[in-house]
Amino acid sequence: MKLIEDHFVVSAYGGEPVNPNTIHKQFLYETMLAGMKRIRFHDLRHTHATIMLEIGENSKLVSEKLGHSKVSITLDKFTHLLRIYRTPLQKTFQKLQEKRARNNKSGHLTKKAMENPIA
């Protein structure tokens, strides 16, 4: 079955829309049974986007998946993730500089170092 614009993410058995209050109440009930803290159904969207960005998914693809008109909307909403990337990026840069120093006293990258900069 091919999805079209008027398909719903959550629908009744016959494909018709479900009242948002029904979805909300069912979600609260299921999370309570699972022993989870109370969250909104919409929070799942933010969690999904956050996980995609954390694992390094392309921000343009994440933005498109969320239906944002511009990547900047996605990046503005999830700027708190930048601190997550900062430390690994610093470590990678430090490893690269250490490898440059080991491979070539002049500081220029050798072909071998460029092939595997963080090994």
Side-chain angles (χ1 to χ4, degrees), residues 7-96:
H7 276 99
F8 298 97
V9 173
V10 179
S11 63
Y13 186 71
E16 58 275 351
V18 176
N19 184 317
N21 289 328
T22 303
I23 296 168
H24 175 72
K25 288 176 184 176
Q26 185 65 39
F27 181 73
L28 289 177
Y29 176 74
E30 297 291 339
T31 55
M32 181 191 70
L33 285 180
M36 296 172 55
K37 76 174 192 166
R38 186 177 173 142
I39 61 170
R40 300 170 303 151
F41 185 74
H42 185 77
D43 292 336
L44 296 176
R45 173 184 166 91
H46 293 272
T47 301
H48 177 68
T50 300
I51 290 170
M52 287 194 302
L53 291 169
E54 282 178 343
I55 63 172
E57 184 59 70
N58 181 293
S59 56
K60 174 74 171 154
L61 296 175
V62 174
S63 180
E64 289 173 0
K65 188 167 190 158
L66 294 173
H68 293 161
S69 58
K70 299 177 182 175
V71 177
S72 61
I73 295 170
T74 306
L75 295 176
D76 288 345
K77 192 164 219 47
F78 296 99
T79 53
H80 65 281
L81 291 176
L82 293 178
R83 70 175 176 269
I84 293 169
Y85 297 126
R86 190 174 300 130
T87 301
L89 182 60
Q90 288 170 340
K91 288 178 182 175
T92 301
F93 186 71
Q94 184 177 358
K95 284 182 182 179
L96 177 61

